[in-house]
Each structure stands twice: as structure tokens, then as C-alpha cells.
Amino acid sequence: MKHMKGVVIAGKNSLAIRDDCPLPEEICPTGALIRPLIWSPCTSDAHLCATGCASLPYLLNKAVGHEMCGEITKIGADVHDFKVDDRVIVCSVMPVWRSLEAQDGHAKNRQDNMYAGNDDPERGGSFVEEYYIHDADMNLARIPEGVTLEQAVMVPDMMCTAFEGVRQLAPGYGASVAVLGVGPVGLMAVRAAVLHGAGNVFAIGSRKVCFDVAREYGATHLVDYHNEDYIEQIVRCNGGPVDGVIVCGGGESALNKGLSMLKNGGTLVNLSAYFGGKPLEIDPAVWGFGYGDKTIKGVGCGGGRLWMTRMAQLIACGRVAPEKLITHRYHGMDKIPEALRLFLNHDRSLIKPVIYND
Ligand code: ZN
């Protein structure tokens, strides 16, 4: 086993650049090594750091990161559709396509990535010099002509998560959708809802930098959650409770808030992660006392080559401009900790940072 440089979580609120991250000398026949060209840190990376990997202790001192695009440096003998030097988007969730879950139509419910409970001694996250993936043909997507690196690196999580949420919400034409929390995933959910044919799209947040993008993405109403009566305001503007809600933040109380603006018979899709260990309490009244036909779905990032290829195609066709999410740009792996600290410090000017590997 060789070693390489990478960004690791060294403890609570502590990041370090180390040169002892494992780099396998042999890769599996379906695998590939990818040299990163651009990275993007994420709230979930920052959360791991803030807690010292409390929810996934085996990740301590391993490389962090799951949003990356790069070029292939090595491929296994059974990789058919990619070759060395191809520029690719790397899947963040890594569904296992050769699994019973895949045969059941839900490949992403069995994942081969470091955040999914895999304590793999050969690999961690993708904030490293070379990233090892096990299934190149199924979990890479080519970056289309005309799509920039910083657009492409918004695909693996921001687009793949938000569009998966809206796919599962499936709003009808003209239906009303409220997006609770317009950070980067929420903003993408706004865009996805608009592309899905929604009518009223309520973007609920508080920061101007996010509202500006929400407006550009087609939100019809910008709602500040600091207004005490914002839920009534939404119901009033909409002429009744909304048809669908997407929760992308707001903490443990967000489900109650989302359900209170949702019509009976409507669906709430949750895209937030709750690592706090606290129970999620639901007020029966907002859930139609349990018999209001209000569906709650907990949805995770969609993955795999086809889904990522389709997301990239939305960019190539000019229907999604993901670069609008990028507020901070850095150069060099050594800057990754600084970019992650933007999340830890709750920087109000931040939507999404990228780091070019140059
Ligand atoms: Zn992410």
C-alpha cells in the first residue's frame, strides 16, 4: 500500500492535511483511480468535523469529502466505457449495482461510500490526491462538452439530491411547492420544482445571497422565516396549504413547520439529515391527526451514472446554471480546510465553495 496526501478530520473542529492516506497499488477489475480536478465541501463534511465524526467514528483520521470531479489515471481490466484521461463526475453515494437492493429497484439503498457505514481500510473520502472507486462504468459520468468543472462538481450531491427529492415529490403541473431552507440543496430543489412544472414555488430562508439565486431559479415567493407568521403568509398567498413541501434545513422542528403548510393529501419530502440523536416529534394536529393522508418521505441523494448523466445534460442544455451556487473559489488542496471552516463559522455569505486542484 502506498500513501498520499489528503484532508482528514483529526478531531472535533480539527482538520489536517496528512500524507498517510492509503493509496491502493492494485485496483479491482471494475475500478478506477481518479485524480481530482475540483472539489466541493458540503454541510455533511462540516458536520462530521464539528462533531469529531461522532456519528461515524471510523472516519476519524481518514480522508473526508464526497463531491469531486477529476480525470481518470488508471482503470481496471473490466472497465468498458471509460479510459485513462477521461474527465468525469464522481458519484457521491456510490450505489452497489450488483446487489439485491438494485434488483429491487433501489440500488442507492446499498452504498459503497465512506459515509454509508463502510469502514474500508483502502479508502476514505475524495479530498485526496487520487480517489479509488470500485465500479467505474456504473458510478462515473462523463463531463459533457461545454460544461465547466465548477458546474460539474455541483452534480454529485447538490443536483443529484435535490432533483431526487423533487422526482419523489412529483408535483403536478401548476402545483404549489414550498422549499423550507434554501441553502445549496434547497436552491437546487427550487430549480427542480420549476422544471417539474410547479406553479407557486415558495423559497423559505433568510439570507439575501440565497434569495437572489432563488429568484433567478424561478421561485415565485421569497419568504423570510424570521417573520413569525410566515406559515400563515404562505397559506394566504397560495390560497390554501401547499401541495408539496421539501425540507432542506431548519433543524428538528422543520418537519412540524413543513406539515403545517401542507394540504391534506399532500407530500412532504425530507432532504435534511438529522444526526443529533434527538427524536423528531410531530404534532398530531399538523399531521391531520394522523389521518390527513399527508405523506412524509425521507429521501437521500440519487446516484449512479445514468442519474448523473441526466443532471449533467440539464446543465449542457442550459436548463440549470449550478455555478450560481458558488460563492467562494479556492486553489490547491491546502485550502480545503479554509473552505470547510466557512461552514463551521456559519459564514452568511456562503452558499457553496469549490477548490480547484491546481
Ligand atoms: Zn455533499
Side-chain angles (χ1 to χ4, degrees):
M1 182 85 68
K2 290 191 285 189
H3 290 94
M4 62 179 163
K5 203 167 130 180
V7 180
V8 305
I9 295 170
K12 238 184 190 175
N13 278 313
S14 167
L15 291 153
I17 312 268
R18 295 262 175 83
D19 53 15
D20 61 352
C21 296
L23 170 63
E25 285 177 73
E26 296 294 321
I27 62 171
C28 63
T30 54
L33 288 179
I34 324 287
R35 188 180 79 83
L37 295 169
I38 193 164
W39 297 283
S40 187
C42 176
T43 318
S44 46
D45 302 323
H47 171 81
L48 276 174
C49 182
T51 61
C53 301
S55 51
L56 301 168
Y58 60 87
L59 290 179
L60 203 61
N61 293 311
K62 279 202 180 151
V64 68
H66 59 276
E67 296 176 37
M68 183 269 278
C69 294
E71 58 191 10
I72 298 175
T73 56
K74 188 173 183 177
I75 54 163
D78 290 343
V79 175
H80 303 295
D81 300 334
F82 296 92
K83 56 185 191 322
V84 168
D85 289 339
D86 280 351
R87 291 181 146 213
V88 290
I89 303 165
V90 180
C91 189
S92 63
V93 291
M94 306 278 186
V96 176
W97 296 98
R98 197 179 155 83
S99 67
L100 294 180
E101 288 82 353
Q103 289 194 13
D104 207 18
H106 302 282
K108 71 170 179 173
N109 290 347
R110 172 95 176 272
Q111 295 182 10
D112 168 38
N113 79 80
M114 63 156 199
Y115 287 166
N118 295 315
D119 184 7
D120 187 337
E122 288 197 305
R123 53 204 280 269
S126 55
F127 296 172
V128 287
E129 289 177 287
E130 298 222 47
Y131 186 52
Y132 176 28
I133 82 158
H134 290 151
D135 193 345
D137 280 335
M138 290 293 103
N139 284 330
L140 294 176
R142 206 163 265 108
I143 301 178
E145 199 69 39
V147 171
T148 66
L149 284 174
E150 57 183 54
Q151 290 176 317
V153 80
M154 294 298 111
V155 168
D157 192 358
M158 300 302 99
M159 286 186 73
C160 282
T161 298
F163 278 76
E164 175 71 8
V166 172
R167 192 180 70 79
Q168 294 211 26
L169 184 71
Y173 297 120
S176 48
V177 175
V179 180
L180 186 44
V182 282
V185 171
L187 287 168
M188 269 301 155
V190 165
R191 187 66 195 145
V194 168
L195 288 176
H196 212 286
N200 280 339
V201 176
F202 295 87
I204 306 161
S206 71
R207 295 187 290 142
K208 183 181 181 303
V209 64
C210 300
F211 280 150
D212 288 347
V213 178
R215 188 182 293 109
E216 291 186 59
Y217 280 176
T220 53
H221 299 75
L222 309 176
V223 180
D224 190 331
Y225 59 70
H226 289 115
N227 297 338
E228 233 162 65
D229 65 340
Y230 77 87
I231 293 172
E232 293 89 85
Q233 186 193 328
I234 290 169
V235 172
R236 203 169 49 241
C237 286
N238 192 52
V242 296
D243 297 305
V245 171
I246 300 191
V247 171
C248 299
E252 272 73 9
S253 65
L255 292 182
N256 269 323
K257 287 174 179 148
L259 286 169
S260 32
M261 59 185 89
L262 181 67
K263 71 174 186 184
N264 276 351
T267 298
L268 179 150
V269 163
N270 175 73
L271 294 175
S272 265
Y274 301 96
F275 293 117
K278 285 181 248 159
L280 299 171
E281 287 177 11
I282 290 172
D283 171 359
V286 302
W287 195 34
F289 301 101
Y291 55 82
D293 290 342
K294 292 192 187 189
T295 303
I296 303 172
K297 282 189 179 182
V299 175
C301 181
R305 177 174 165 190
L306 181 64
W307 188 237
M308 293 197 298
T309 301
R310 288 186 171 160
M311 297 298 107
Q313 198 56 30
L314 285 172
I315 305 172
C317 295
R319 299 199 204 288
V320 177
E323 71 280 6
K324 290 185 195 294
L325 299 181
I326 299 165
T327 50
H328 294 71
R329 293 169 174 84
Y330 298 90
H331 294 268
M333 183 192 284
D334 296 353
K335 292 286 185 185
I336 291 179
E338 192 178 329
L340 263 164
R341 271 185 214 107
L342 295 168
F343 293 93
L344 297 171
N345 297 336
H346 303 286
D347 189 306
R348 288 189 61 83
S349 68
L350 174 70
I351 303 181
K352 203 58 183 159
V354 296
I355 303 97
Y356 286 89
N357 186 19
D358 55 17

